[in-house]
Amino acid sequence: PGGLLGGSARFDVTVRDATVRGEGVVTLRPGGATLEDATGVMALSRLPLSFAVPPGQSVQADIDRLAVDQDGNCLEADGTLRTAALAAAGETFGAELPLLTGTLLCAGDRIAVQVDGANDRLSLNGRVRLEPAGPAWRIEARTEDRDVVAALSLLGFEQDGPDVFLLDSQRQNAEG
C-alpha cells in the first residue's frame, strides 16, 4: 500500500511460454521501471539475429537489477548471461568453439551485454546493444586455427586483419 501511495507498484512476475521462461520482481514507478532478482531462459530463435544459430539454442540470464526510464533508456544494469550457442555451432562445423558469457551493462542510454568467450583455439569479445531498431553487435574473434576460421566464416564473421575476425551488424546491414 505504501508503494501505491508513493506512486510505485511492485509485482512478482513469472513468464512461461514456448520460447521464454523466467521470473523476477518488477517495480513500476513514475518515470520508469525496474526488474530485480530475475532469472530466465530465452530461445535464441526468438531474437532477430542475422547470423547462424543452431536450432534449440538458448540464452540463460541472471539479472540482479535492470532499471530504465519511461523512454526505455538504461539507468542501471547488473547481471550475467550465458549461452552454448557458439559451441553448438562449432560442433556443427567441426570446430571447437567456446561457451559465451555476458555481463549486462548500460552503454550510454542503451541496455548492452559485454560478451566474452575463450578456449585454447579462440578468444572472442564484443558488445551487443539493444537499439530501438533492434540489436546491434560488434564481436571480435582472434584465432590462428584453420578449422575455427572456417567455422567463423560460416557464422558470418569477416576477416579484419591477420588472425582477427569481426561480426559487425552495421557492416552486415550496409552490405545487405
Side-chain angles (χ1 to χ4, degrees):
L4 291 176
L5 294 175
S8 67
R10 187 175 170 100
F11 305 94
D12 290 330
V13 177
T14 300
V15 177
R16 302 235 187 277
D17 75 13
T19 58
V20 177
R21 291 186 322 273
E23 56 188 37
V25 178
V26 173
T27 303
L28 303 176
R29 64 190 186 302
T34 304
L35 174 64
E36 295 177 291
D37 302 324
T39 59
V41 177
M42 179 188 307
L44 287 174
S45 62
R46 186 173 178 119
L47 300 176
L49 304 174
S50 64
F51 51 90
V53 175
Q57 292 301 306
S58 62
V59 60
Q60 295 81 38
D62 292 306
I63 300 172
D64 296 322
R65 183 173 171 83
L66 177 60
V68 296
D69 68 14
Q70 69 273 7
D71 298 319
N73 295 318
C74 190
L75 301 174
E76 184 180 354
D78 183 23
T80 58
L81 291 89
R82 298 170 306 287
T83 184
L86 187 66
E91 289 176 17
T92 301
F93 301 130
E96 187 179 329
L97 302 180
L99 299 174
L100 297 178
T101 59
T103 303
L104 193 62
L105 53 94
C106 291
D109 62 359
R110 297 283 136 226
I111 298 168
V113 179
Q114 176 64 39
V115 178
D116 295 290
N119 63 16
D120 60 343
R121 298 172 186 223
L122 172 70
S123 73
L124 180 143
N125 66 60
R127 186 166 284 181
V128 179
R129 288 180 327 280
L130 301 182
E131 298 288 350
W137 53 86
R138 181 176 170 82
I139 301 172
E140 183 179 283
R142 294 184 176 272
T143 186
E144 296 177 0
D145 185 288
R146 289 174 35 169
D147 292 336
V148 172
V149 168
L152 291 174
S153 177
L154 291 168
L155 288 166
F157 281 79
E158 297 177 358
Q159 191 152 9
D160 194 52
D163 307 327
V164 179
F165 300 85
L166 194 61
L167 185 65
D168 187 328
S169 61
Q170 289 185 344
R171 188 182 283 186
Q172 288 173 335
N173 290 338
E175 294 170 0

